[in-house]
Each structure stands twice: as structure tokens, then as C-alpha cells.
Amino acid sequence: MSAGENHDEGIVLLCGEVRTGLLPAHQALDIRAAAQLLRLRADERVLVSERPNLYARSPDTLTGVDCPLPSASGAKVRAVGTVAVRGTLTEGRVLQTSARLGLAARGPDHRRPWGHYLVRPGTLEPFGRLPREAVAEGVLAGARRGELDVGLIADGLLTQLLRHPLLDQHPPFKSRPTRLRWTALPAEAGAGGPSIERLTLAEDELRTLRLRVPPGADPAEVAGLCEDLALHDWLLTTVVRLLDGSRLGSADGTAVVRALRPAVDHLLHLWMPRARLEPSLAALWDVLEERPGFTRQWQVLVRRIRDQLALHAIPALHQEAVMAP
């Protein structure tokens, strides 16, 4: 499971965390401003795209780590290397930061010079053999004090971006950020290819995802899949909350329209799963469409919003007709 950023064979576990939230700016950023926001390195350009939607992605930055790994079995495993982190902005509205790493199956019993790790960006080497199942479950359960916490690294970049002078700190509506914590192991031979083994949603805005991906999958592409999932999960969660806050059936038409307008103005056009996924990973979206049924739920929400807006427009149209000479 090593391609692109991994130069050694033997990567047997990928993991990471994604932070997703509404950009704190009253106006959506255009593509030039988005590139300015995400310019994290002077030596590498921001990736920008206008098709099929406005999208910008920062270059990777690296964070060096030397610490114990989370482990569900309690095994003490120390690892050294670098974690890759990047930021993305979709349609100038939804900001994400994403940290990722790959873990080698085995490493030396001593620490190597930092130059060894720097030429292997986004890769950690354990001291000795990696108990990959225990570490995968430990990552999903959450790091304890002193252990590697990729979420903190993603959160560090998010904090940095949110302080950018381009942002006026006045978002068009209130929303909550979400966190997606993920792990990916190689798919077993004869097991039917990539799969989603487990997806959980917790009340504290945390989601956890355990994947099986093709051997040799590019860690950056796997992170891209998780970012895409996190984006669309955030959209669903946010629109559901807007609907809940609109007090359908108990509020007057003006209040309902006011509550639902942010969804129409800022969110409904963002639904575009698989827009930039590597083909071998895009098939994993089929699983999400079957259960829990992401797009099916989204379409139901969109119909509810449009029906409510149409319903509350009828009295106004009737009044205009009565008052017409």
C-alpha cells in the first residue's frame, strides 16, 4: 500500500482525520482569494479547479512526530516520521483540513537521522513490528495523552487558516464543524476489493470510518475519499439542523423562509459526490448510497425545503392577486 508519497514498501496502515466547517466569511471566496487563503508554502502552488465546481487545495505541509501510537491492545509502540496535512476549500464556502500518514509494517529498533524521514513524507516507521489491527482500532478510539493525535495536527492547520486576514469572521449562518477520523488497511486477496467496514456517527460531531482499500492505493487519494465523505456528511448534518431549526408547521411563513434561505443560498448546489475521486476508490460511494443512503437522504431534504418555500409563497401570491387592480 505504497504509492506516490511513500518510497518504501511495507506500508500496511493508513490513517488520518478531517475537520470540516463553514468558512467564517460573509461572502464566499472566489478562486483567487481561495488560492491566497491556502498558500501554505512559497515553493509550491495551490491546486485550483473550476470544474465541476470551484475547488482549491493547498500543498502538503509536514509535521515531524516521535511518540507512542494509540493501541487498542495497550501495546507500547513508538513511531517516528512525518504527518502530511493540507487544506481545501469547496465553492469558497466549506473549509476542510486533513492530516494523514502511512505506517510501515516494521522499522528499526533505533531512531534514524531526520533526513531519512523527510524523504518519506507522510510516512511513520515503528520501532520493531507494527501491530496494525490494534493500532487501527486505537486510532479510531482516540489518542490518549502523549500518543500520536492526527486530529490535533489537522486542528492546528485549521486554527491557522481561520486567522487569515481575508476572513471577516461573519459567516452567513450558524453551523457546527464535524470531525472524521479514519483508518484504511489493504483489502485481503479474494475479499472483493475495497470496502467500508464500519462507519459510525457520534453525538459530539465525531465520525469514525474503517476502510479496506486496494493494495498500493495512494495515501493522498485515500485521504481525498475521506475528505469527500466528510464534506457531504457535513452538508447533510447542516441541512438537517437548518430544517429542525425552521419549526415547520409552527412558525409563520416569513420565519420559515428566513430559516431555510441559507440552505438555498449557500448549500444546495454543493452536493457533488465523487467529483474528484480516483476511480478505484470512487466505487466505495456505492456502499454509502445503499446504506445509509447519502444521496437519497439529500434529495428528500431538498424536496422538503423546496416544498416549504413553495407552500409559504402561495399566500403571498394570493394576496398580490387580490390587491391587483
Side-chain angles (χ1 to χ4, degrees), residues 4 12 18 22 31 49 52 103 109 138 146 196 219 244 246 271 287 299 311:
V12 294
V18 185
L22 184 68
I31 202 68
S49 172
L103 280 157
D109 294 328
I196 296 176
D244 288 345
S246 66
W271 192 264
V287 179
Q299 291 170 344
L311 179 65

Side-chain angles (χ1 to χ4, degrees), residues 3 5 14 57 60 86 100 217-225 227:
E5 65 200 66
L14 301 176
R57 188 178 73 206
D60 287 344
R86 66 190 183 191
R100 69 181 187 276
D218 187 330
E221 296 290 352
V222 177
L225 166 69
E227 291 160 11

